Amino acid sequence: MSTLLIRNGTIVTATDLYKGDVFVDGDRISTIGTALTMPADRSIDAAGKYVLPGGIDVHTHLDMPFGGTNSADDFESGTIAAAHGGTTTIVDFAIQYKGQTLHHAWETWMQKAEGKAVIDYGFHMIITELSDQVEQEMDALVRQGVTSFKLFMAYPGVFMLDDASIFRALLRTGQNGGTICMHAENGGVIDVLVKKALAEGKTAPKYHALTRPARAEGEATHRAIALAEMAGVPIYIVHLSAAEALEMVTEARDRGLPAYAETCPQYLFLSYDNYEEPGFEGAKYVMSPPLRPRETQDRLWRGLAFNDLQAISTDHCPFCMKEQKELGSGDFSKIPNGAPGIETRMSLVYDGGVRTGRISLNRFVELTSTSPAKIFGLFPRKGTIAPGSDADIVIFDPHRSMRLGVQTLHMKVDYNPYEGREVTGVTDTVISRGKVIVDGETFTGRAGAGSFLKRSTR
Ligand SMILES: [Zn+2]
């Protein structure tokens, strides 16, 4: 077991901000104080820098099959990129395909991560078919630390569940303590609009967005919350993008319902305008839900500031333009859905949120680490800087700038949606369970060093 002393930094949690030293013994934080003098195997001077709890990204899709191809990052390249960006924990999605058990899906995804992940990871379970047996499996998975389940109201015939199945799954979490995460878009309406657009010869990438109206997200968000209300359980809306959906969450929270939602950097920094880029460039931004009108960004920032939105995750699901996004060059509905983001979240949100005064530094930590840790059963092991917590620590330089781009980033994808954008506020040193895994520009971690996290129930 080695020891590490981080000196002179400004320690920031969701509630605190003070100058101090952090002493790490083995894989946990041991002592916090001022002018600590204990001998350590390594000492890092963090003067002028922030000492933050490692980022927690609860929405990633590594090594995920979609439309005949696989997302471009596997658990090794994806978690290395996450680490460079200051994220030390991910929660990815294991998919139950029709006819399969949840356990089969879980084992499949455990194997994908095993020996590869460089940071700690957990899984949400995607349920695409619900039966009595699957409901029993939900209970068993909760006991094994897979305490959240994702359901889809979109992608009919592939992922979509009907309202009865959604309601049954919600009721089940009332007994087993799990949490339901919802992809809230009205899949039936979208399917009709997609077929209609294609029949009219509208095949360009922008029609992906034009066939997924904001109201389809608003309607499904409202329905998801209403179903959870009738079941008497909390609900977590994933990748909320539309003002119409935020209104539904806000209204529910105002009535005292335990409705939670995350948004993602792409909805805060990109907009529908990106689909109007020339040629096939719009395909870079094909994701679901789609990018929304620019005015929506301010609404989402306000939701983040006032706690109507509780987390910022990435929905990292990268596909290369070459050979992957190209699958939809003559038909937008065949473009693999998703974009890279696992590495750029912390710097984008710091630069665009904290530096502009939209959110406080504490709120930044809360949205990117503490709150997702609490919602998904990882707190206080993760999500804060406190004695006894895992030593997942980011030393963050608020003054250094970098230009985002495919040349400088580590995600295994041939474009970046923020290409050329300059951000101020960059990860300096990243520590995962007491080990330095990113030292300046250099990755010093090891494939397979990340562990599966058994998460607790609410
Ligand atoms: Zn997703």
Side-chain angles (χ1 to χ4, degrees):
M1 293 298 244
S2 61
T3 53
L4 171 70
L5 182 61
I6 303 164
R7 295 176 3 257
N8 307 319
T10 299
I11 298 165
V12 189
T13 69
T15 49
D16 305 304
L17 179 77
Y18 57 95
K19 283 225 162 68
D21 303 341
V22 179
F23 182 69
V24 173
D25 190 358
D27 55 11
R28 291 184 180 216
I29 294 167
S30 154
T31 311
I32 300 170
T34 48
L36 295 183
T37 53
M38 48 273 264
D41 298 322
R42 181 169 174 185
S43 170
I44 298 173
D45 183 10
K49 291 169 190 163
Y50 294 137
V51 179
L52 312 173
I56 299 177
D57 186 348
V58 293
H59 194 146
T60 67
H61 298 281
L62 301 177
D63 200 1
M64 188 197 80
F66 189 100
T69 187
N70 261 48
S71 62
D73 274 312
D74 66 8
F75 277 82
E76 183 169 349
S77 68
T79 56
I80 288 173
H84 278 284
T87 288
T88 54
T89 298
I90 60 166
V91 186
D92 203 270
F93 292 88
I95 306 174
Q96 173 212 24
Y97 291 102
K98 290 192 196 302
Q100 292 178 354
T101 64
L102 298 186
H103 276 91
H104 176 79
W106 183 43
E107 278 158 23
T108 305
W109 258 263
M110 287 290 273
Q111 277 165 22
K112 285 173 188 269
E114 177 95 51
K116 288 194 163 181
V118 308
I119 56 173
D120 291 350
Y121 55 93
F123 291 107
H124 310 283
M125 178 61 58
I126 291 177
I127 300 175
T128 59
E129 209 168 42
L130 196 78
S131 61
D132 291 345
Q133 185 218 330
V134 168
E135 285 195 50
Q136 282 161 25
E137 279 198 287
M138 287 174 74
D139 300 349
L141 280 167
V142 167
R143 288 192 296 271
Q144 286 167 297
V146 180
T147 54
S148 45
F149 303 89
K150 184 187 185 187
L151 313 180
F152 285 83
M153 301 173 109
Y155 302 112
V158 187
F159 293 128
M160 191 170 104
L161 285 187
D162 60 21
D163 287 355
S165 299
I166 291 170
F167 187 59
R168 280 175 63 191
L170 285 161
L171 282 172
R172 196 75 180 194
T173 62
Q175 295 166 32
N176 62 31
T179 298
I180 298 290
C181 305
M182 191 68 77
H183 179 127
E185 282 187 298
N186 186 315
V189 166
I190 289 165
D191 236 30
V192 170
L193 291 175
V194 168
K195 289 199 178 90
K196 185 166 170 289
L198 290 173
E200 290 165 1
K202 296 167 174 168
T203 60
K206 71 174 177 184
Y207 292 104
H208 170 78
L210 295 172
T211 54
R212 304 186 88 92
R215 184 51 61 193
E217 188 186 342
E219 183 279 323
T221 301
H222 177 263
R223 183 159 37 105
I225 293 169
L227 292 170
E229 181 181 5
M230 288 186 278
V233 297
I235 187 148
Y236 181 89
I237 307 294
V238 298
H239 50 43
L240 186 145
S241 71
E244 287 81 347
L246 177 58
E247 278 169 16
M248 299 305 164
V249 175
T250 304
E251 185 264 349
R253 291 180 63 82
D254 288 349
R255 286 199 292 123
L257 294 177
Y260 305 98
E262 65 180 18
T263 190
C264 312
Q266 52 270 33
Y267 305 120
L268 298 168
F269 298 104
L270 304 171
S271 71
Y272 173 81
D273 301 346
N274 292 97
Y275 295 115
E276 298 284 355
E277 289 177 16
F280 191 60
E281 295 293 288
K284 291 174 177 174
Y285 315 97
V286 167
M287 60 186 78
S288 298
L291 300 176
R292 302 300 186 185
R294 183 162 290 275
E295 310 83 82
T296 306
Q297 295 173 359
D298 281 338
R299 304 281 295 274
L300 295 177
W301 280 113
R302 220 171 60 156
L304 291 166
F306 288 94
N307 203 33
D308 288 317
L309 298 169
Q310 292 74 38
I312 303 175
S313 65
T314 64
D315 198 9
H316 176 78
C317 192
F319 295 100
C320 289
M321 286 294 278
K322 210 174 155 50
E323 285 169 15
Q324 296 196 301
K325 292 282 189 181
E326 272 176 3
L327 293 167
S329 58
D331 174 352
F332 70 88
S333 73
K334 301 226 156 51
I335 301 171
N337 283 206
I342 203 167
E343 188 174 0
T344 45
R345 179 180 68 134
M346 303 288 274
S347 287
L348 279 169
V349 176
Y350 179 81
D351 183 67
V354 180
R355 273 170 43 84
T356 55
R358 285 172 159 138
I359 54 171
S360 70
L361 189 54
N362 297 116
R363 185 67 180 151
F364 165 69
V365 171
E366 190 165 32
L367 289 165
T368 56
S369 180
T370 315
S371 168
K374 287 180 177 173
I375 293 170
F376 290 108
L378 290 165
F379 188 84
R381 179 175 173 193
K382 309 283 191 191
T384 192
I385 297 199
S389 291
D390 280 1
D392 288 0
I393 299 170
V394 171
I395 301 174
F396 191 85
D397 186 340
H399 306 296
R400 191 152 59 89
S401 301
M402 79 176 283
R403 198 169 287 284
L404 303 179
V406 80
Q407 296 301 325
T408 48
L409 296 165
H410 302 81
M411 298 172 283
K412 245 170 63 186
V413 56
D414 61 3
Y415 77 97
N416 191 274
Y418 308 100
E419 188 69 43
R421 185 186 183 105
E422 188 166 291
V423 288
T424 300
V426 183
T427 291
D428 214 74
T429 309
V430 179
I431 296 147
S432 167
R433 273 188 292 112
K435 295 213 167 52
V436 173
I437 61 166
V438 173
D439 200 347
E441 314 274 273
T442 314
F443 176 70
T444 54
R446 178 176 61 80
S451 304
F452 169 71
L453 295 167
K454 280 182 98 161
R455 295 180 290 117
S456 54
T457 53
R458 13 178 195 92

